[in-house]
Amino acid sequence: MSFFHAGPAPKGAGPRSGALRDGLILAPGMKVGLFGGSFNPAHDGHAHVAETAMRRLDLDRVVWLVSPQNPLKDARHSAPLEDRMASARQHARGPSMIVSDFESRAGVAWTVDTLRLLVARHPGVHFVWLMGSDNLASFHRWRGWTDIMRLMPVAVIARPGSLLDSRTAPAAARFAGFRIPAQQAGLLPTLQAPAWTYLTAPLNPLSSTAIRTGAGVRATS
């Protein structure tokens, strides 16, 4: 099988040390899920992903990284960042859920750059990248997707309408040898990357697209 690879992504210098306040209070040894998206708007399907990951991976925190603008989506269809932040806060329930505008503060647009910065800024924190299975189906089209897989463990949470596609996705095939059973998901945050797992839970069918259009329900971020 051939794979599309948009990377390796170039490694930029990023903000100067100490020049950026990310608003995250994280301590070495913490297990932290990073959940990125447009959240345009956020909904219970997003909460399902975050809460499933929190419970199954035994995380200390889940950080909702609200994108200033997804480079793969049309900006004309995006609500203002402050509206999407407010929407995410409504669904990120509990003190262990943190809604962050880190990407706007850091001036980055690509997930791989965001994750590199956070790893550099928080040594000793066990990060896990979280995504719905609808994103895994197209993950191989992301810039630097193999770099992301090698940077930190990844947890994929099942979403309606994408179960078959995601399990046969190019990224899943490429890293099949590094997949761990869902029964061992609690070990994932402390494993060396690449390592990933696929988690199923009672499915929530809500999608941002359906909420915006008011017509139909399909899985999308």
Side-chain angles (χ1 to χ4, degrees):
M1 179 183 294
S2 61
F3 295 92
F4 174 86
H5 184 216
K11 297 182 179 180
R16 290 180 294 105
S17 177
L20 172 67
R21 295 182 182 274
D22 60 24
L24 305 178
I25 302 175
L26 306 177
M30 277 187 173
K31 297 180 289 185
V32 178
L34 300 175
F35 182 31
S38 301
F39 304 112
N40 185 41
H43 52 70
D44 284 343
H46 292 129
H48 161 79
V49 170
E51 292 166 4
T52 298
M54 175 76 77
R55 182 178 66 255
R56 300 283 295 277
L57 303 179
D58 192 25
L59 299 175
D60 297 299
R61 302 280 190 277
V62 171
V63 180
W64 297 46
L65 294 166
V66 184
S67 171
Q69 174 54 48
N70 186 326
L72 301 179
K73 294 184 178 181
D74 191 335
R76 294 173 297 177
H77 299 155
S78 293
L81 176 62
E82 56 269 25
D83 292 349
R84 294 184 284 113
M85 290 281 291
S87 178
R89 290 190 187 101
Q90 290 178 350
H91 291 82
R93 306 179 184 97
S96 296
M97 299 282 180
I98 302 169
V99 176
S100 173
D101 60 352
F102 175 76
E103 290 185 319
S104 294
R105 297 184 186 213
V108 293
W110 301 98
T111 296
V112 65
D113 296 326
T114 301
L115 303 189
R116 283 173 177 159
L117 280 173
L118 287 170
V119 167
R121 292 179 63 82
H122 297 281
V125 172
H126 301 293
F127 286 115
V128 181
W129 176 246
L130 311 177
M131 61 181 172
S133 56
D134 45 331
N135 282 323
L136 179 64
S138 59
F139 187 51
H140 60 291
R141 301 190 182 280
W142 292 25
R143 183 180 189 182
W145 67 280
T146 59
D147 299 303
I148 294 173
M149 293 294 292
R150 294 186 174 98
L151 182 62
M152 65 181 61
V154 174
V156 181
I157 293 84
R159 292 279 288 130
S162 62
L163 303 186
L164 180 60
D165 287 347
S166 59
R167 291 190 179 192
T168 58
R174 175 73 172 267
F175 288 91
F178 299 97
R179 180 175 174 178
I180 68 168
Q183 295 85 347
Q184 299 176 16
L187 302 175
L188 185 69
T190 57
L191 295 180
Q192 182 176 351
W196 70 284
T197 194
Y198 189 101
L199 304 177
T200 58
L203 300 177
N204 188 310
L206 285 179
S207 76
S208 296
T209 300
I211 292 172
R212 290 196 304 272
T213 63
V217 175
R218 58 190 177 89
T220 180
S221 60

